[in-house]
Amino acid sequence: MTLTLYAHPFSSYCQKALIALYENGTPFEYRILDSEQANAEWEALWPIRRFPVLVDDGRTIVETSIIIEHLDLRHPGPVRLVPEDARTALNVRMMDRFFDNYVMTPVQRIVSNSLRTPEARDPQGVVEAREMLDRSYAWLNRIMDDREWATGEAFSLADCAAAPSLFYADWVHPVSDAFAGVQAYRRRLLARPSFARAVDEARPYRHLFPLGAPDRD
Ligand SMILES: N[C@@H](CCC(=O)N[C@@H](CS)C(=O)NCC(=O)O)C(=O)O
């Protein structure tokens, strides 16, 4: 076994990496970050303390988009997550950045704010995060009009980013019926077997969601 993933099933970025692994049935050792030993190994590998972290034959790879690019390059399978054509790949990377920066980041801001003590909370930050999510939903709704997946017909890195982003975004800031295209895309992502598996594996941890997980999905 050459690949080891340090991750937690309930983490959005870990789900993003897991989707890529599950899409291609790539074998890996799953080091779940739920023990002192696993946590110590992870922290030694990446003192920045963000997960997931991939170790490939002794080489440490961080940042989920780069982990997926690495898998696509070094452990390719039938589902190519970054297209070979450079121009198409650019669009995939652009959409990947969109989901990380303008969906997942505001979601994390809202969730992490709820974990703070009342004196340390940042209500204005939460307002701004919700405004960003509204803008993101509106833009995405327009562009998903004629697309099955984030960049068109092929499932890609961008959809790996989209799935957990939109999954959790809808929990913290529901996608309104005005954005039916986003709602439908989120449903397609939930029906994709790789993501459905990641969601199922995370079910036992739903009680940990600080804002309360809704009784759906
Ligand atoms: N830019 C990083 C973000 C990773 C990230 O934020 N992971 C979260 C879990 S979903 C984390 O490490 N949280 C730990 C913390 O905030 O202390 C990536 O793409 O991998």
Side-chain angles (χ1 to χ4, degrees):
M1 175 81 64
T2 61
L3 291 174
T4 305
L5 187 76
Y6 288 81
H8 191 281
F10 201 48
S11 140
S12 54
Y13 282 99
C14 297
Q15 291 177 4
K16 176 176 167 181
L18 288 167
I19 293 167
L21 289 158
Y22 295 160
E23 278 292 325
N24 282 312
T26 311
F28 68 101
E29 184 191 345
Y30 196 162
R31 283 295 270 148
I32 295 187
L33 293 167
D34 64 355
S35 69
E36 275 185 27
Q37 177 61 34
N39 287 354
E41 287 170 25
W42 158 68
E43 201 174 336
L45 287 165
W46 189 222
I48 298 297
R49 293 175 55 92
R50 289 292 180 272
F51 44 88
V53 168
L54 183 75
V55 180
D56 185 353
D57 237 350
R59 180 165 168 214
T60 302
I61 298 114
V62 298
E63 289 298 306
T64 313
S65 300
I66 308 304
I67 289 173
I68 295 174
E69 295 247 12
H70 176 91
L71 291 170
D72 208 56
L73 204 60
R74 304 297 297 270
H75 304 271
V79 180
R80 293 310 300 259
L81 296 165
V82 182
E84 273 176 44
D85 174 69
R87 288 184 192 176
T88 318
L90 209 54
N91 204 28
V92 164
R93 294 188 179 103
M94 185 185 82
M95 289 304 291
D96 173 65
R97 294 300 77 228
F98 165 74
F99 287 110
D100 274 17
N101 291 327
Y102 306 122
V103 181
M104 204 56 232
T105 297
V107 169
Q108 283 185 321
R109 206 162 159 193
I110 295 167
V111 171
S112 61
N113 184 70
S114 76
L115 292 166
R116 293 180 182 171
T117 56
E119 322 78 73
R121 287 200 181 133
D122 172 17
Q124 182 55 28
V126 171
V127 168
E128 287 167 13
R130 291 189 184 282
E131 287 170 353
M132 177 59 82
L133 286 172
D134 283 333
R135 285 197 293 275
S136 294
Y137 294 164
W139 181 76
L140 185 61
N141 198 59
R142 280 205 306 277
I143 69 147
M144 288 312 293
D145 203 28
D146 57 353
R147 296 182 190 186
E148 183 178 10
W149 302 113
T151 59
E153 284 171 18
F155 189 91
S156 72
L157 160 70
D159 300 290
C160 299
S165 308
L166 290 175
F167 178 79
Y168 286 114
D170 189 53
W171 282 14
V172 304
H173 192 73
V175 179
S176 82
D177 293 345
F179 304 130
V182 178
Q183 290 178 338
Y185 176 44
R186 185 177 180 276
R187 279 196 298 275
R188 283 196 293 283
L189 290 164
L190 274 162
R192 184 94 181 173
S194 57
F195 185 48
R197 178 175 168 187
V199 168
D200 279 343
E201 289 171 352
R203 263 178 223 287
Y205 303 96
R206 285 193 179 188
H207 64 280
L208 297 176
F209 196 66
L211 294 163
D215 191 16
R216 57 181 165 87
D217 295 328

